[in-house]
Amino acid sequence: MSDRFKEIAEEIKVFKASNADELEQFRLKFISRKNVIGELFTQMKDVPNEEKKVFGQSVNELKNLAQEKFQSLIDSLSSGGTDSEDYPDLTLPPTEEDFGSIHPLTATRQRFIQIFERIGFNVSSGPEIEDDWHNFTALNFPENHPAREMQDTFFIEKDPDIALRTHTSSVQIRVMENEKPPIRTLSPGRVFRNEAISARAHCVFHQMEGLYIDKNVSFADLKQTLYHFVKEMFTKDTQIRFRPSYFPFTEPSAEIDISCQICHGDGCNICKYTGWVEIGGSGMVDPNVLENCGIDPNEYSGFAFGMGIERITMLRYGIKDLRLFTENDVRFLKQFNSL
Ligand code: DAH
């Protein structure tokens, strides 16, 4: 009988478990209720009385040996063990994957494009480093217009003037120079202005330019198109109003206001207690601009508009500080996981 004890003890000592299955095999063989050591206990009744004590002690020793070995196998497996990297525990719950999310500015740009694509607009783009002609002159800016001056524009070169574009209206010119009407195009893009960074202003931001040129395009078309847009971008009960304004490249010109998305007209600091917030500029393309691009203003007319993508995004999601868009703070970005 003592050989059998030695045999089992030896088997326990040399046992190696490199994964959960092998650990389970050990448990079944030496620890579970019906195991080889348990079997020895059942043989106790056949052992002569004078040998019972020694027999019992030996069985207990084996039992303790198995328990200790089992614990050490568990410890070595859970601490990485020898081969355990090759055998991941498939029964462990998965760790949560952190997926990236769509940036709120991207979400707004995509929604913008979606709304206008459905009414026949395409998407066009132009360079961020622009010449004076496309950024200013072709857009009918007078020679000494303040927007050309150093405090607004980041010039890269003087004479001939090369600058970071100050607005996406430059893309209007490029499209009209290269395409024949009818033109229906949307130009999203990054723009640059020499402004101090604050909650409401940045030196790098995004605009969306819209342009529609065809025969008999009227101000009524402009109003109806933007009316449709704000109801789609915001809510069906969003109100829109046009305020007379001035831009060199449109005549007449209007600024576009919508009913405040934050307080819904009750008055708050976003709308400065007026119930209205400005989302951009618009107007009928000035005949001089059409001519500059080789389009006959007697045959064609059109409207244009330009909006700040940041501004629209802030109103859509109730974001109060423009700087959040570029800080890349995951606590901010994670709030848009569902977009
Ligand atoms: N370019 C103007 C700006 O940056 C916005 C704008 C106003 C664009 C009127 C237009 C427009 O196309 O018609 O402030």
Side-chain angles (χ1 to χ4, degrees):
M1 189 39 106
S2 66
D3 283 352
R4 178 74 183 126
F5 284 124
K6 276 190 194 140
E7 211 178 278
I8 296 175
E10 194 54 29
E11 217 184 314
I12 291 172
K13 281 180 196 156
V14 301
F15 196 99
K16 281 200 172 68
S18 50
N19 60 37
D21 275 349
E22 287 169 10
L23 182 69
E24 178 63 1
Q25 280 165 24
F26 184 91
R27 193 189 68 81
L28 289 172
K29 190 156 187 189
F30 301 110
I31 307 282
S32 69
R33 278 170 66 87
K34 280 188 161 179
N35 70 78
V36 290
I37 303 169
E39 260 168 43
L40 292 174
F41 268 117
T42 63
Q43 291 167 18
M44 187 87 141
K45 60 183 188 316
D46 306 323
V47 175
N49 273 351
E50 62 276 17
E51 288 174 26
K52 269 196 172 40
K53 191 176 169 196
V54 178
F55 186 91
Q57 277 171 353
S58 303
V59 177
N60 268 329
E61 275 166 22
L62 269 186
K63 198 178 149 188
N64 291 339
L65 183 70
Q67 287 289 358
E68 277 165 24
K69 176 76 181 195
F70 187 55
Q71 192 54 51
S72 82
L73 289 175
I74 291 173
D75 291 348
S76 92
L77 271 184
S78 60
S79 69
T82 39
D83 302 332
S84 67
E85 288 98 312
D86 302 338
Y87 295 93
D89 181 356
L90 300 179
T91 64
L92 284 173
T95 44
E96 245 175 65
E97 282 297 337
D98 241 347
F99 292 113
S101 54
I102 292 188
H103 194 282
L105 290 178
T106 306
T108 299
R109 187 189 64 217
Q110 286 173 344
R111 177 75 185 125
F112 222 119
I113 291 170
Q114 190 181 48
I115 295 167
F116 276 92
E117 271 180 347
R118 284 186 189 151
I119 53 172
F121 281 65
N122 62 14
V123 177
S124 52
S125 61
E128 291 178 351
I129 298 174
E130 204 35 295
D131 53 33
D132 178 90
W133 169 257
H134 292 95
N135 198 79
F136 295 125
T137 305
L139 284 161
N140 204 33
F141 275 80
E143 195 62 23
N144 297 313
H145 194 278
R148 291 179 180 230
E149 280 174 23
M150 280 298 191
Q151 72 266 20
D152 281 318
T153 309
F154 288 116
F155 284 98
I156 289 178
E157 238 179 74
K158 268 287 187 195
D159 239 2
D161 288 350
I162 304 288
L164 297 178
R165 68 178 172 197
T166 58
H167 53 180
T168 45
S169 300
S170 54
V171 187
Q172 279 189 32
I173 304 300
R174 291 188 174 269
V175 172
M176 286 191 281
E177 280 174 340
N178 293 308
E179 289 172 33
K180 294 211 171 325
I183 293 169
R184 285 185 292 265
T185 195
L186 211 53
S187 321
R190 200 152 48 157
V191 299
F192 309 84
R193 282 184 204 177
N194 192 1
E195 294 206 32
I197 296 171
S198 72
R200 313 190 100 241
H202 210 293
C203 54
V204 182
F205 56 102
H206 299 81
Q207 286 188 336
M208 183 68 85
E209 192 79 12
L211 178 70
Y212 179 26
I213 309 284
D214 203 348
K215 288 179 176 152
N216 301 317
V217 178
S218 71
F219 201 90
D221 296 317
L222 166 64
K223 283 176 79 172
Q224 185 56 38
T225 305
L226 293 180
Y227 182 72
H228 168 72
F229 163 72
V230 299
K231 304 223 163 215
E232 290 290 312
M233 179 59 91
F234 299 100
T235 53
K236 290 271 171 271
D237 57 3
T238 302
Q239 300 298 303
I240 187 169
R241 77 175 185 186
F242 292 83
R243 244 177 326 103
S245 186
Y246 171 78
F247 299 103
F249 36 91
T250 45
E251 181 57 36
S253 305
E255 262 159 315
I256 313 155
D257 292 347
I258 59 166
S259 48
C260 183
Q261 302 296 299
I262 310 293
C263 67
H264 301 283
D266 293 346
C268 67
N269 55 3
I270 300 288
C271 63
K272 300 192 195 100
Y273 298 91
T274 63
W276 296 94
V277 281
E278 189 208 313
I279 58 166
S282 65
M284 300 307 293
V285 179
D286 194 291
N288 289 344
V289 175
L290 294 175
E291 250 167 30
N292 286 339
C293 302
I295 293 175
D296 182 358
N298 297 316
E299 197 180 350
Y300 292 104
S301 58
F303 68 72
F305 59 84
M307 295 181 205
I309 298 182
E310 277 81 356
R311 170 63 72 91
I312 304 233
T313 309
M314 289 168 95
L315 292 170
R316 254 181 122 191
Y317 302 116
I319 299 166
K320 295 214 174 74
D321 193 324
L322 201 85
R323 291 168 290 199
L324 287 164
F325 291 127
T326 41
E327 278 168 356
N328 278 341
D329 185 330
V330 284
R331 291 168 302 177
F332 171 71
L333 296 173
K334 273 191 169 179
Q335 294 176 48
F336 304 94
N337 270 352
S338 59
L339 295 182

